[in-house]
Amino acid sequence: NNPVEIEEFLKYYAKIYKQNPNLPIVRDTIYYGLATYGISEEEKQNKSIKYMFPNWINHFRNTNLDVFESDMQKGFLQFHTSSGRNTEDHIKIYVTFCKEDMESCVIRIFDYINRNNFATYSKVSDVVRSDSVVLRMVNPDEANKVINFINNDPYLSSKARKTNPFLMKSGVV
């Protein structure tokens, strides 16, 4: 964790609540701050990436990955393997990219997962966030391989953006 970034985040919200003592401290406010951590105001206004969903669905058609939208979790595109659904124990890996790089980076990551037939129960948000891509891996060894793949791939590692400072870091994930 980055203690400087954590302290800056906490001081920012302390200042807001100090200046607005009647403002209720609610979970949604803090969650929004974490979800949009490192996202510029301009990006927050033009953050939708839902238009990429059909491309990802088509790209992964006839593969090991079942890629679909679900009413059970609106706002995300699901990337599942049948073996990934059979457990509730997942290793979560967060990574994000700017809007311009999101489509190619998501394809690159899930091509790797698919090619290696890794068990996953992952999702990608329909908006740019500090945690747009949530990789939920079943097998710890496979999770480590995915982390190493992202960190060692020059394209992915150069395009990855900061995730919120409270998450444990391994390279860019």
Side-chain angles (χ1 to χ4, degrees):
N1 288 332
N2 185 331
V4 173
E5 290 179 10
I6 290 172
E7 188 171 338
E8 286 174 7
F9 181 88
L10 294 173
K11 282 182 179 178
Y12 172 78
Y13 281 96
K15 181 179 175 183
I16 287 175
Y17 287 114
K18 204 176 235 184
Q19 291 173 348
N20 302 283
N22 294 330
L23 186 66
I25 299 174
V26 293
R27 178 180 179 263
D28 289 346
T29 303
I30 306 302
Y31 180 80
Y32 178 79
L34 292 171
T36 60
Y37 184 82
I39 308 294
S40 71
E41 289 304 317
E42 180 183 335
E43 289 175 297
K44 289 177 190 175
Q45 301 306 313
N46 186 22
K47 62 185 180 178
S48 178
I49 58 172
K50 189 174 176 80
Y51 66 90
M52 296 178 191
F53 284 12
N55 296 342
W56 292 328
I57 291 168
N58 285 333
H59 182 86
F60 292 103
R61 193 176 313 280
N62 302 319
T63 68
N64 297 320
L65 290 168
D66 187 14
V67 181
F68 62 95
E69 290 184 75
S70 171
D71 288 336
M72 303 272 292
Q73 198 169 32
K74 294 179 189 280
F76 291 91
L77 185 66
Q78 306 296 316
F79 289 75
H80 298 180
T81 57
S82 57
S83 55
R85 292 188 200 114
N86 298 332
T87 181
E88 292 187 15
D89 293 328
H90 297 103
I91 295 121
K92 285 188 178 180
I93 302 166
Y94 298 94
V95 65
T96 194
F97 307 95
C98 70
K99 186 175 182 175
E100 293 75 25
D101 300 317
M102 189 69 69
E103 187 168 6
S104 61
C105 290
V106 165
I107 287 173
R108 199 172 191 112
I109 291 168
F110 285 105
D111 273 347
Y112 177 77
I113 290 170
N114 178 61
R115 203 171 39 250
N116 289 284
N117 202 24
F118 291 161
T120 190
Y121 196 69
S122 299
K123 62 185 180 177
V124 177
S125 175
D126 65 357
V127 295
V128 175
R129 307 165 35 130
S130 66
D131 59 352
S132 293
V133 182
V134 181
L135 303 169
R136 295 179 291 202
M137 306 304 295
V138 174
N139 181 303
D141 290 332
E142 293 173 359
N144 281 326
K145 288 178 182 177
V146 171
I147 290 168
N148 289 333
F149 171 74
I150 293 169
N151 283 325
N152 292 316
D153 182 286
Y155 182 75
L156 292 173
S157 61
S158 70
K159 299 297 182 180
R161 298 175 64 173
K162 286 184 179 181
T163 54
N164 90 58
F166 293 90
L167 298 173
M168 291 186 302
K169 304 280 195 276
S170 178
V172 298
V173 299

